[in-house]
């Protein structure tokens, strides 16, 4: 069964820390992997999209890596800020699943000032 | 980036009424749109895949006669919750694809409360 798992489910850190969010997936035959941010009661904001041929993508303080062989992706957030507090979702499009995204359960991040 | 809008952003209705939610891709054409629902503190659950000009494909356990989906144009898909009941209260989110390589872009969601 194709599944996406995110650990930890919740994370609380002091402002300024660098942090890593983890995402694992059970089948390495992916088309792409996408990281999203969701604020309470809001829709999803796309943060980074990594194609299967890529190893990482960067946007500002965010860096996402992809290791297909081990079925893992990490989202690195540098110098965290209270405004980074949100739920972060990892989602995969598998090669045999058309364009359908399979989501992980998310990591709820709280950055304390 | 590509922008997807939803209307309304929230709606409160009486049990038994029908509610229509619109999903629009504002600056691109979306051949495929997706409808999700999300319960509090849970991840998104895919309800159906909507392709322009054809019938929607529903996920297992989703009643197609209750959740009517229409994707009549490349920029608009609608979800109608028919004869809504309190258990249909949820956060409904749509997404659209601007070509597979650009990933999915999500709308801001619609909060439905059925009294």
């Amino acid at each position: 069964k194709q599944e996406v798992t995110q650990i930890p489910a919740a994370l609380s850190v002091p402002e300024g820390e660098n942090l890593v969010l983890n995402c694992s997936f059970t089948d390495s035959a992916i088309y792409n992997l996408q990281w999203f941010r969701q604020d309470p009661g809001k829709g999803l904001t796309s943060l980074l999209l990594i194609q299967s041929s890529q190893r990482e993508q960067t946007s500002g303080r965010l860096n996402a890596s992809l290791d297909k062989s081990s079925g893992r992706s990490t989202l690195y957030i540098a110098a965290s800020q209270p405004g980074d507090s949100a739920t972060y979702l990892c989602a995969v499009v598998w090669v045999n699943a058309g364009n359908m995204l399979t989501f992980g359960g998310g990591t709820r991040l709280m950055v304390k000032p | 980036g590509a922008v997807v809008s939803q209307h309304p952003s929230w709606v409160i209705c009486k049990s038994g009424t029908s509610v229509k939610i619109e999903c629009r891709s504002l600056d691109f054409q979306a051949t495929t749109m997706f409808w999700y629902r999300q319960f509090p503190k849970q991840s998104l659950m895919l309800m159906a895949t909507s392709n322009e000009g054809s019938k929607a494909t529903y996920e297992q356990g989703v009643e197609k006669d209750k959740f009517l989906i229409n994707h009549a144009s490349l920029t608009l898909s609608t979800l109608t919750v028919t004869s809504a009941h309190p258990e249909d209260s949820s956060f409904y989110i749509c997404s659209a694809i601007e070509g597979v390589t650009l990933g999915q872009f999500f709308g801001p969601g619609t909060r439905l409360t059925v009294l």
Side-chain angles (χ1 to χ4, degrees):
Chain A
K1 184 180 179 182
Q2 294 170 324
E3 294 181 337
V4 180
T5 304
Q6 289 185 248
I7 296 174
L11 180 64
S12 180
V13 300
E15 181 178 6
E17 272 202 9
N18 302 323
L19 57 98
V20 174
L21 306 181
N22 297 296
C23 172
S24 61
F25 44 96
T26 54
D27 184 346
S28 62
I30 68 170
Y31 195 92
N32 61 42
L33 181 147
Q34 204 164 354
W35 282 93
F36 296 91
R37 167 187 174 139
Q38 185 176 32
D39 293 286
K42 305 292 185 182
L44 274 66
T45 300
S46 179
L47 297 174
L48 292 164
L49 169 68
I50 311 177
Q51 302 296 336
S52 63
S53 59
Q54 298 174 325
R55 299 284 295 200
E56 66 177 349
Q57 285 287 324
T58 299
S59 176
R61 294 183 292 109
L62 305 180
N63 175 277
S65 67
L66 174 64
D67 184 343
K68 280 198 309 179
S69 61
S70 66
R72 294 184 178 184
S73 175
T74 60
L75 178 67
Y76 175 82
I77 302 177
S80 59
Q81 303 170 357
D84 295 330
S85 299
T87 295
Y88 290 82
L89 293 160
C90 165
V92 168
V93 175
W94 270 289
V95 170
N96 64 350
N99 298 319
M100 193 176 78
L101 281 170
T102 299
F103 283 89
T107 295
R108 291 194 309 279
L109 173 65
M110 173 71 74
V111 180
K112 297 180 178 179
Chain B
V3 179
V4 176
S5 70
Q6 277 184 246
H7 178 80
S9 56
W10 58 270
V11 57
I12 301 173
C13 68
K14 293 182 179 180
S15 184
T17 60
S18 294
V19 176
K20 179 185 283 188
I21 303 170
E22 294 185 348
C23 176
R24 294 182 184 273
S25 55
L26 298 185
D27 50 1
F28 65 99
Q29 293 183 328
T31 55
T32 304
M33 290 184 172
F34 300 87
W35 286 96
Y36 298 82
R37 67 187 296 181
Q38 185 179 34
F39 292 106
K41 296 188 177 181
Q42 294 186 22
S43 192
L44 280 70
M45 181 190 79
L46 179 65
M47 298 176 65
T49 302
S50 169
N51 292 298
E52 186 267 338
S54 62
K55 291 183 178 180
T57 302
Y58 290 82
E59 294 300 300
Q60 192 172 12
V62 178
E63 300 175 57
K64 62 180 181 180
D65 294 330
K66 180 166 187 63
F67 299 100
L68 301 179
I69 292 173
N70 183 279
H71 193 163
S73 78
L74 289 173
T75 60
L76 173 64
S77 176
T78 61
L79 167 67
T80 301
V81 183
T82 61
S83 186
H85 291 283
E87 59 265 30
D88 298 324
S89 298
S90 188
F91 192 54
Y92 292 87
I93 307 176
C94 73
S95 71
I97 293 181
E98 184 197 8
V100 176
T101 57
L102 297 181
Q104 286 191 28
F105 293 88
F106 284 76
T110 297
R111 172 76 57 194
L112 171 63
T113 301
V114 184
L115 302 177

